[in-house]
Amino acid sequence: MTPSLESGRSFPLATQSRPGRLSARTCALVRQRARSPSSSVSLSRALVSGAVRGTMNIAKQVAGGALRFRAYATAAYVPPASLEGMQRARPPPSKPKPESPSFYTGRANYFDQLLALEKAAKQTRTALQELQILPLPRFAQQNLPPSPGYRRFIGQLNQLNEYRRLAEVAGHMELAGRIQRVLDMFERENKDAILAQGKRKPVKFDEFGRSYTIGRRKESTARVWVIKAKEAASSSTAAAGQGEAQPSQDAPAVGIPGFTRGPLSMAPTPIKVPTTNILVNNIPLVEYFPHLSDRERIVRPFRIAGLLGAYNVFALVRGGGSTGQSGALALGIAKALAAHVPEVEPLLRKAKMLKRDPRMVERKKTGRAKSRKAYTWVKR
Amino acid sequence: MSALLASGAHFGHSQKRMNPNFVPYAYGVRAGITIIDLDHTLPLLRRAAQVVRGVAARGGSVVFVGTRTDLRSAVRLAAERMGKQGYHVGERWLPGTLTNKVHMFGPEVARDTQVIPDLVVFLNPIPNIHAIRECALEHVPTIGIVDSNVDPRIVMYPIPANDESTRTAELVAGLLSVAGREGVAIYQEEQARAAIAASKRSRSREPLA
């Protein structure tokens, strides 16, 4: 009664309801022949030919999988004997199957862990039930030991902290110190790290005295290393003193001709101008920023702080255009100067050099030509 | 077997919103509810079990889909019974699991593992109609518990039964997974036999070389 099944790998035709003994094609042939006005003889002949065709189908099935699905009436008959030595098409190498049983949910890791937890909870529940701990009877619930009572503890510690503050404000430092020692017993080791979590981290210096800061403007980022410039060849001049006139190689320093008395007759004291380098992406500043406005923007933090020849700068800048890169560099330099010379920080802050310019390119909106520009208004 | 089925809360469903294609599997109507003919259900259930066993015996992967809260545990247990060849989907079937597998699982997984399963069993096909469609698109055979308000032709091997009853679904899932477990055992036996034969062959070749 139950129809026999072919291999489970056949292509699904969801309309196939009852596969019978004869193939569907044979049935169709028989039905076709039967419809034509013919006698029972021709019908039997049709059945026979259909049966012959059925055997032909079986032969083709034996031949191999490819022919099974292309059993056209025009295909040539191949005797089984010549199919003996034929090489069968090897099935394609099978790929490994997914490991997790919840692979087809799309979130295998989540469901695996969730189900493992549910299983653990279930097992714990059964174990506790076996040990008669679950469900807990009323008398046991009432006599459970109380939960740790952290609320009272923290209340007391807060109170102590308040007293410590009062003592500090009142000037009784010894008392405040003793209270602090009591509080220290309850504080964590990494208390400072936790307290400093949300705040801005201070700029760190490495073993050579270099600071590393980052500045950003528009789409550009500048990574800036600033190191104090050494007073290189000025040791001899410093020892000699400022008043002595140092004859330069080109011409001796003399007063302006035509003046015999007064300040203009005196030879000017030569000023040793310290030179420092600013390298941007390993290129000197003048080459990298040919525009004066960009260079001025970069040097502005030095001017405001009054530290023009004091520091060497090495920067790596990426992204954006010349204005963005110069602005990012200026911010990085300002942050570094504030770290090297903390006295200068209020000056830079007043000049708004330490503020990251939040202006960014505004996005284009739908219905507009650009971010603000509207299309030409048409009356109709 | 038939007695078990009859005793389960398994017969009869849905008011007269009966699908006309379901008529061959319906016994009649009583109190506004269509009664399903279990004499048709039983052989179709046996056939579905044969399919699961056959697919598992050839090393195929079977996915059990039951997206209701009460079906979740049944589906998980059924997948567990089939070991490495059983998978389950207890929550919503994400559209594109089979047809958009590169986006869903990543290109490496889609390239290196066999994502398309060899058989999918639906314990509640009505909410998972998109999953059934995906299976049809990807040529995956499907088995499903079809109710009287559903066209039984949507799945390849329908099992006409009550889809709202938890016990029915658990019974069907259990039956199919037990058949699948037998198929897995057959497959593992064959693999073991093949491994022994291969090792014998390699040992017999060694002295010649």
Side-chain angles (χ1 to χ4, degrees):
Chain A
M1 194 175 74
T2 15
S4 64
L5 226 53
E6 302 96 42
S7 75
R9 293 286 184 113
S10 60
F11 284 102
L13 301 157
T15 52
Q16 190 179 342
S17 51
R18 276 167 233 266
R21 289 276 167 199
L22 286 173
S23 70
R25 234 185 34 94
T26 333
C27 294
L29 273 169
V30 170
R31 258 181 262 130
Q32 212 178 19
R33 295 284 167 84
R35 265 189 226 116
S36 61
S38 53
S39 58
S40 57
V41 177
S42 60
L43 186 64
S44 57
R45 206 183 300 143
L47 277 167
V48 164
S49 63
V52 167
R53 280 217 184 77
T55 53
M56 276 164 67
N57 276 339
I58 289 165
K60 279 180 202 135
Q61 278 168 21
V62 164
L67 286 174
R68 192 183 306 174
F69 298 105
R70 303 179 71 83
Y72 298 127
T74 50
Y77 168 66
V78 185
S82 42
L83 294 169
E84 295 286 314
M86 194 178 82
Q87 274 181 341
R88 312 279 164 105
R90 252 172 243 106
S94 59
K95 296 193 255 190
K97 297 207 176 21
E99 310 87 26
S100 161
S102 36
F103 176 79
Y104 293 98
T105 56
R107 296 195 289 169
N109 284 334
Y110 170 77
F111 281 109
D112 281 346
Q113 288 185 18
L114 186 65
L115 292 173
L117 268 179
E118 279 180 10
K119 199 172 181 182
K122 212 176 188 181
Q123 283 173 346
T124 319
R125 211 174 299 131
T126 45
L128 287 176
Q129 274 169 352
E130 269 178 42
L131 295 170
Q132 311 249 326
I133 297 173
L134 215 69
L136 210 55
R138 179 87 60 82
F139 71 89
Q141 249 172 6
Q142 286 163 353
N143 295 345
L144 267 178
S147 57
Y150 285 123
R151 201 190 296 263
R152 278 182 68 181
F153 235 92
I154 289 172
Q156 289 302 317
L157 287 170
N158 282 337
Q159 183 80 175
L160 263 178
N161 200 29
E162 280 292 309
Y163 294 155
R164 183 185 59 82
R165 269 184 64 236
L166 282 174
E168 269 179 15
V169 164
H172 301 295
M173 296 327 252
E174 204 196 299
L175 178 61
R178 277 188 287 174
I179 301 173
Q180 182 62 47
R181 258 177 279 140
V182 171
L183 289 173
D184 281 338
M185 291 197 300
F186 296 95
E187 269 174 358
R188 281 188 161 180
E189 295 90 40
N190 57 342
K191 164 192 159 191
D192 296 314
I194 294 171
L195 282 174
Q197 258 168 8
K199 301 197 180 72
R200 195 180 306 145
K201 292 187 259 286
V203 178
K204 289 201 200 83
F205 292 84
D206 66 2
E207 67 266 23
F208 301 111
R210 298 181 292 210
S211 69
Y212 171 64
T213 50
I214 294 180
R216 276 184 254 259
R217 170 93 209 272
K218 286 199 217 175
E219 294 283 322
S220 317
T221 313
R223 303 164 64 196
V224 183
W225 289 266
V226 170
I227 184 168
K228 191 165 176 61
K230 276 186 260 201
E231 305 288 326
S234 61
S235 52
S236 52
T237 45
Q242 288 175 17
E244 209 174 284
Q246 290 281 314
S248 65
Q249 295 215 329
D250 304 17
V254 289
I256 297 172
F259 287 90
T260 45
R261 280 198 302 274
L264 290 176
S265 62
M266 289 198 289
T269 52
I271 303 164
K272 201 79 183 164
V273 180
T275 44
T276 53
N277 295 321
I278 300 180
L279 280 179
V280 184
N281 291 351
N282 229 358
I283 296 166
L285 179 73
V286 176
E287 273 184 53
Y288 197 82
F289 291 107
H291 292 281
L292 182 67
S293 57
D294 295 333
R295 291 202 295 273
E296 277 301 306
R297 204 176 291 128
I298 289 165
V299 168
R300 192 154 175 259
F302 288 118
R303 283 191 206 283
I304 290 169
L307 298 165
L308 252 182
Y311 290 91
N312 282 318
V313 174
F314 180 84
L316 295 173
V317 181
R318 204 197 267 189
S322 63
T323 310
Q325 286 188 346
S326 56
L329 200 46
L331 179 61
I333 289 169
K335 282 190 192 173
L337 289 180
H340 277 274
V341 187
E343 294 86 41
V344 141
E345 193 183 326
L347 293 171
L348 291 170
R349 209 168 275 282
K350 260 236 150 92
K352 295 174 198 157
M353 294 301 303
L354 290 174
K355 190 171 161 59
R356 193 262 194 242
D357 196 337
R359 298 178 290 172
M360 300 283 277
V361 174
E362 201 175 304
R363 65 158 277 203
K364 181 204 180 303
K365 284 120 196 163
T366 53
R368 297 225 173 225
K370 290 166 67 187
S371 53
R372 302 276 176 111
K373 175 183 179 181
Y375 295 118
T376 314
W377 176 78
V378 182
K379 198 166 188 181
R380 292 192 170 80
Chain B
M1 189 64 133
S2 167
L4 272 169
L5 285 170
S7 62
H10 180 124
F11 49 89
H13 189 75
S14 286
Q15 305 84 23
K16 275 219 151 179
R17 347 159 153 250
M18 194 168 75
N19 196 297
N21 296 302
F22 194 82
V23 169
Y25 302 123
Y27 189 73
V29 176
R30 188 190 167 88
I33 296 174
T34 314
I35 307 293
I36 298 169
D37 191 358
L38 293 177
D39 287 331
H40 282 118
T41 304
L42 186 56
L44 293 173
L45 186 56
R46 282 218 197 100
R47 181 177 75 165
Q50 291 268 49
V51 171
V52 177
R53 191 180 299 125
V55 167
R58 283 162 179 77
S61 54
V62 181
V63 182
F64 291 90
V65 178
T67 55
R68 277 206 316 261
T69 36
D70 44 341
L71 300 175
R72 239 170 255 162
S73 55
V75 140
R76 187 176 54 82
L77 284 166
E80 253 176 56
R81 266 191 217 111
M82 286 195 62
K84 290 190 106 167
Q85 290 170 232
Y87 301 87
H88 65 271
V89 175
E91 311 274 339
R92 178 176 159 256
W93 171 284
L94 298 170
T97 309
L98 303 183
T99 48
N100 198 13
K101 51 185 185 284
V102 174
H103 183 82
M104 188 72 96
F105 302 112
E108 297 90 11
V109 173
R111 181 175 21 105
D112 298 329
T113 54
Q114 183 204 326
V115 178
I116 307 290
D118 297 305
L119 182 66
V120 182
V121 178
F122 289 97
L123 297 183
N124 57 340
I126 302 172
N128 297 312
I129 200 78
H130 301 295
I132 295 172
R133 210 173 118 260
E134 271 187 57
C135 291
L137 284 168
E138 295 293 328
H139 310 299
V140 177
T142 46
I143 297 173
I145 299 179
V146 291
D147 215 333
S148 59
N149 56 345
V150 169
D151 186 350
R153 297 175 302 175
I154 54 173
V155 289
M156 209 167 144
Y157 300 98
I159 301 169
N162 185 2
D163 65 1
E164 273 184 7
S165 153
T166 315
R167 276 198 291 172
T168 315
E170 282 175 0
L171 193 68
V172 169
L175 193 78
L176 296 178
S177 58
V178 162
R181 189 168 56 185
E182 291 170 17
V184 167
I186 295 168
Y187 179 66
Q188 281 168 351
E189 241 186 74
E190 265 186 47
Q191 295 275 292
R193 230 179 285 146
I196 292 167
S199 66
K200 272 204 198 128
R201 253 183 278 129
S202 65
R203 256 185 270 131
S204 66
R205 278 197 203 122
E206 266 165 28
L208 290 170

